[in-house]
Amino acid sequence: MPLPIPILSISYCRSTTNCNCVIHVYPTLQFLYSHHIAAEYISHEVKEYVQAMIFREASHQDQMSEFLQSITQQKQKHKQSLDNANQDASSNEPTASLRIRVLLNHVRQNPLYTIGAISTGVYVIGMKDQFNSYELSSSSMFGEQIKYVFDEAGFILYDQTASKSLDEFGPYFIEQYIIMEYLSKHEVAQNVLEHYCNHKETLQLGLQSYNEKQGKGFICWRFLVNETVKAAAVAKKEKVPIKSDQ
């Protein structure tokens, strides 16, 4: 069961809409008891919630329904504060246009994990290999809620989205790589964020022609870069303009 109290929250500005967005990552009960959790996360609120959850009888479906309802209310409650936080964010970094701001982070550096992606801005972090075939079966608590799963290295372990877009929910969605950047300081994540900010249309062009034989996600960076170079060369030959990558 995931706790409806985020362990990681990050705000950013999505380039397609120029609107402020927030990413919330929620821990499973198993992850809560791991050494990857910072002590400050174990607040009185968390302790009370866990105690009530352990002694309360409820079906998996009811527990998940309550979790989803709770996080929906959180989104509405924190919208205004999120807007204010992003307005003040500024940086000279290559990824400055994303206006990334860590609102809270109670995960120790370089954890081993798998993350189940439920929807835009909503992710559940579990132990390594926690989101296995049983957890993703229709009879489990997560049922059909989790749409794709990735680990700390960026490998896509499960995907039902079939998306190949940088701006749409799926294994190439920019949010995944923002999470990886702050949890794992992964080199691929850094490359993706920089290319998203400075060479976005060229990267998307290469992604569309990538056949995914080497796997899904930007962990297959070298293959995607090859496809990007090829696609850019074809576009240039056909005199199809590639816009400034914003």
Side-chain angles (χ1 to χ4, degrees), residues 154-170:
F155 288 105
I156 305 301
L157 309 177
Y158 172 82
D159 176 40
Q160 292 220 329
T161 68
S163 173
K164 292 177 70 176
S165 171
L166 296 165
D167 292 307
E168 295 178 2
F169 184 70

Side-chain angles (χ1 to χ4, degrees), residues 81-143:
S81 60
L82 170 64
D83 290 341
N84 294 336
N86 263 334
Q87 287 171 0
D88 296 337
S90 62
S91 172
N92 294 321
E93 295 295 322
T95 59
S97 62
L98 280 169
R99 289 188 283 172
I100 298 173
R101 187 182 183 98
V102 178
L103 305 178
L104 63 89
N105 183 6
H106 298 309
V107 183
R108 296 182 186 277
Q109 195 64 48
N110 299 319
L112 298 178
Y113 62 80
T114 50
I115 287 181
I118 292 178
S119 63
T120 300
V122 180
Y123 302 84
V124 176
I125 186 168
M127 298 300 291
K128 186 74 172 176
D129 301 324
Q130 180 175 347
F131 295 113
N132 51 43
S133 58
Y134 171 74
E135 290 289 352
L136 299 175
S137 68
S138 59
S139 62
S140 77
M141 178 180 300
F142 295 104

Side-chain angles (χ1 to χ4, degrees), residues 14 38 81 131 175 182:
R14 191 175 303 165
S81 60
F131 295 113
E175 288 189 351
Y182 285 92

Side-chain angles (χ1 to χ4, degrees), residues 47 68 72 80 116 237:
K47 290 179 180 178
L68 295 174
T72 298
Q80 184 60 49
K237 184 177 180 180

Side-chain angles (χ1 to χ4, degrees), residues 7-241:
I7 197 167
L8 173 68
S9 295
I10 304 173
S11 66
Y12 73 102
C13 180
R14 191 175 303 165
S15 64
T16 51
T17 58
N18 199 34
C19 69
N20 298 319
C21 305
V22 66
I23 301 166
H24 286 311
V25 179
Y26 302 90
T28 61
L29 188 59
Q30 292 91 329
F31 195 82
L32 179 65
Y33 286 104
S34 75
H35 65 277
H36 302 308
I37 295 282
E40 58 267 22
Y41 179 75
I42 312 300
S43 64
H44 180 69
E45 179 187 13
V46 169
K47 290 179 180 178
E48 281 194 335
Y49 187 87
V50 171
Q51 186 175 21
M53 182 173 63
I54 291 174
F55 290 101
R56 176 173 170 270
E57 293 185 4
S59 68
H60 289 165
Q61 290 76 13
D62 287 345
Q63 290 182 44
M64 180 54 69
S65 178
E66 290 175 6
F67 168 75
L68 295 174
Q69 182 179 3
S70 177
I71 63 177
T72 298
Q73 293 172 350
Q74 288 178 31
K75 280 185 176 182
Q76 296 171 347
K77 180 179 177 181
H78 296 145
K79 187 178 186 303
Q80 184 60 49
S81 60
L82 170 64
D83 290 341
N84 294 336
N86 263 334
Q87 287 171 0
D88 296 337
S90 62
S91 172
N92 294 321
E93 295 295 322
T95 59
S97 62
L98 280 169
R99 289 188 283 172
I100 298 173
R101 187 182 183 98
V102 178
L103 305 178
L104 63 89
N105 183 6
H106 298 309
V107 183
R108 296 182 186 277
Q109 195 64 48
N110 299 319
L112 298 178
Y113 62 80
T114 50
I115 287 181
I118 292 178
S119 63
T120 300
V122 180
Y123 302 84
V124 176
I125 186 168
M127 298 300 291
K128 186 74 172 176
D129 301 324
Q130 180 175 347
F131 295 113
N132 51 43
S133 58
Y134 171 74
E135 290 289 352
L136 299 175
S137 68
S138 59
S139 62
S140 77
M141 178 180 300
F142 295 104
E144 298 179 354
Q145 297 297 334
I146 289 181
K147 305 305 181 185
Y148 70 96
V149 175
F150 60 95
D151 66 11
E152 77 283 349
F155 288 105
I156 305 301
L157 309 177
Y158 172 82
D159 176 40
Q160 292 220 329
T161 68
S163 173
K164 292 177 70 176
S165 171
L166 296 165
D167 292 307
E168 295 178 2
F169 184 70
Y172 302 94
F173 189 28
I174 194 63
E175 288 189 351
Q176 172 188 333
Y177 301 94
I178 294 174
I179 293 172
M180 287 175 59
E181 166 65 6
Y182 285 92
L183 288 185
S184 308
K185 296 295 180 185
H186 202 290
E187 182 180 359
V188 168
Q190 295 170 4
N191 289 337
V192 171
L193 296 181
E194 289 186 16
H195 276 69
Y196 180 89
C197 291
N198 303 297
H199 308 286
K200 179 181 173 182
E201 291 195 10
T202 306
L203 183 60
Q204 184 66 64
L205 189 65
L207 179 57
Q208 294 306 313
S209 59
Y210 176 54
N211 59 23
E212 297 184 328
K213 287 183 178 179
Q214 291 80 18
K216 293 186 178 183
F218 282 109
I219 189 62
C220 307
W221 180 255
R222 64 186 183 277
F223 300 109
L224 280 163
V225 169
N226 290 340
E227 293 299 328
T228 299
V229 171
K230 291 176 185 177
V234 170
K236 184 176 181 180
K237 184 177 180 180
E238 295 177 353
K239 297 183 179 180
V240 176

